[in-house]
Amino acid sequence: MSDVPEVKPPVVTPVRVVIALCLFAPFVAMLWVGSYSKTDPTFIGIPFFYWYQMLWVLISTALTVIAYQLWQRDQRARTTPKGGPEA
């Protein structure tokens, strides 16, 4: 046994901050109703209120996929030994 304590990577990393922002942004956008509670501009006859929300469905999907990919990469980096895979 060694007297040297095991050094663990930090819990809050820049990648995890980006992941949190990707997951938090849609909530902020949808809860700030005053920013989109209007009818103009219309898009192919659809009032702004409706097409803005539908646009955020697509944006939220993309941000969730990005967050998932970043999380998977972060988890692989945490489980891989620092010296790389040994043969």
Side-chain angles (χ1 to χ4, degrees), residues 1-84:
M1 290 203 144
S2 174
D3 291 337
V4 178
E6 182 181 340
V7 178
K8 294 183 180 181
V11 176
V12 178
T13 62
V15 172
R16 289 186 175 192
V17 170
V18 171
I19 291 169
L21 290 174
C22 284
L23 296 175
F24 189 64
F27 289 104
V28 172
M30 290 293 93
L31 290 176
W32 186 20
V33 179
S35 69
Y36 62 92
S37 62
K38 52 190 173 185
T39 57
D40 289 328
T42 59
F43 177 69
I44 59 171
I46 302 170
F48 180 75
F49 180 80
Y50 295 111
W51 69 258
Y52 179 81
Q53 291 181 28
M54 290 300 109
L55 180 64
W56 268 101
V57 170
L58 300 174
I59 294 170
S60 297
T61 302
L63 290 173
T64 303
V65 168
I66 290 168
Y68 178 75
Q69 294 295 327
L70 288 172
W71 180 258
Q72 291 298 318
R73 189 174 74 177
D74 184 59
Q75 292 305 302
R76 280 192 305 270
R78 286 178 166 269
T79 57
T80 303
K82 290 293 181 192

